[in-house]
Amino acid sequence: MDKSVRQELQSLPKTLAEDVARNLVMVARLLDSEPEQAYGYAKVAFRLASRVAAVREALGFAAYANEKYSEALAEFRAARRMTGSVELWPVMADCERGLGRPERALAMAGEPEVHKLDKAGQVEMRLVAAGARRDMDQAEAAVVTLQSPELASSSVQPWTARLRYAYADALLAVGREDEAREWFGKALEADQSGSTDASDRLAELDGVEFVDALDTEADDEPTAARTPDASDAETEEPKTEEPKTEEPKAQEPEANEPKADAEGEDEKDVEASEASEEAPAPETDAAAQPSTFLDNPFREPQSGPAAEDASGHDGDHDKQD
């Protein structure tokens, strides 16, 4: 927090000063990323200490960020009356532009207060005046307004990128495309904080189109079937079922088997017949070992009875899943 703001808050009770300070810190932190929330904190600070110039200035900037130009202009005027400073003069002129009064902004650019501004303030006032010229459809005059020693300087200042960018944009508005490309490049060189979109403007002039990697249309296209690979085998292991064993059924005598005559059958034939009825039926192939296709799901199934059993097990497995 600025030293002058701390001095202003010292005149308040300690608890109140701490509350106001916390809200001002949140305004400064959220002003660029969340201007609506910053405006809410500024209103709270205003209710707590409306007679503190720093509070009125913070509310003015929060209202300005939310395009509440009438409220912002009123708060800037109040802060200027409290402090007597002229540093808010350029942003006050820009509020006039936001209210649809570019002629008033131009009039403020010619007032004696401008000469009291530091170098950064004078550059800011020049940017506002050039914007007012363009608002009034005076594009050529906007180009001339921006031509200054600060623009021609090779040193890089905090305002250099914005000044060069505004000049390039003004050149483009009057059809001087080659010069505009040159100055957009110079703006990009000086834009260390990324305050402008000079790189995008250069790409636009060069006919370069950027493709969004997160294009939602690509998600709507049907996905082709994919053959499982070895990486899938590490993550998803097939579930194997224990082979079901079937109990052997007692073999019934065939219908065409000759019935022994009770009177003419000898004892040997009777014993042989009884032995054949008591003998268990041989085990079927259903109790054989699992198919090799289940052991390795990435091998093509083989033809024959083993393949049919494996296919049957897979069908049951899919239904269970």
Side-chain angles (χ1 to χ4, degrees), residues 43 48 67 75 81 142:
K43 294 293 283 186
L48 294 173
E67 300 182 359
E75 296 303 324
R81 285 194 303 268

Side-chain angles (χ1 to χ4, degrees), residues 57-293:
E57 182 178 333
L59 180 56
F61 277 110
Y64 178 83
N66 286 275
E67 300 182 359
K68 301 178 184 292
Y69 298 116
S70 180
E71 181 180 1
L73 183 57
E75 296 303 324
F76 289 144
R77 285 173 175 170
R80 180 171 178 267
R81 285 194 303 268
M82 292 177 179
T83 61
S85 174
V86 297
E87 63 179 8
L88 295 174
W89 194 257
V91 69
M92 289 169 61
D94 204 39
C95 286
E96 295 286 2
R97 285 186 59 211
L99 291 171
R101 302 191 293 247
E103 67 281 353
R104 291 193 183 183
L106 280 177
M108 291 180 68
E111 294 291 335
E113 283 81 359
V114 176
H115 300 289
K116 299 177 183 179
L117 296 170
D118 58 8
K119 183 65 66 177
Q122 291 180 1
V123 170
E124 195 67 34
M125 193 70 241
R126 191 177 293 275
L127 290 170
V128 174
R133 290 290 186 186
R134 294 187 62 175
D135 293 342
M136 300 169 66
D137 296 327
Q138 300 176 4
E140 290 287 352
V143 173
V144 176
T145 301
L146 292 170
Q147 292 173 349
S148 61
E150 293 82 13
L151 179 67
S153 176
S154 58
S155 63
V156 176
Q157 303 295 332
W159 37 261
T160 301
R162 294 177 58 244
L163 180 60
R164 293 177 179 179
Y165 181 92
Y167 186 60
D169 195 40
L171 289 170
L172 191 62
V174 297
R176 295 159 65 174
E177 185 173 317
D178 292 338
E179 293 178 76
R181 180 183 289 104
E182 177 186 354
W183 281 99
F184 275 129
K186 291 182 178 180
L188 182 59
E189 292 176 359
D191 194 3
Q192 300 175 354
S193 61
S195 59
T196 70
D197 62 343
S199 60
D200 294 339
R201 300 297 297 275
L202 276 172
E204 183 180 348
L205 288 174
D206 294 336
V208 178
E209 295 183 1
F210 296 96
V211 179
D212 189 359
L214 301 177
D215 191 1
T216 55
E217 295 181 358
D219 298 336
D220 297 335
E221 298 180 359
T223 305
R226 186 174 61 88
T227 305
D229 52 18
S231 61
D232 293 335
E234 297 177 1
T235 57
E236 297 183 4
E237 297 182 358
K239 298 180 181 179
T240 58
E241 289 187 356
E242 294 292 334
K244 299 180 180 180
T245 57
E246 298 181 0
E247 296 180 358
K249 298 180 180 179
Q251 184 176 0
E252 298 179 357
E254 298 181 356
N256 58 358
E257 184 179 348
K259 296 182 180 180
D261 231 309
E263 294 180 356
E265 186 182 60
D266 56 10
E267 294 180 359
K268 292 182 180 181
D269 292 337
V270 173
E271 293 176 358
S273 176
E274 292 176 1
S276 62
E277 289 178 0
E278 294 176 359
E283 295 184 357
T284 62
D285 292 336
Q289 295 296 324
S291 167
T292 55
F293 177 69

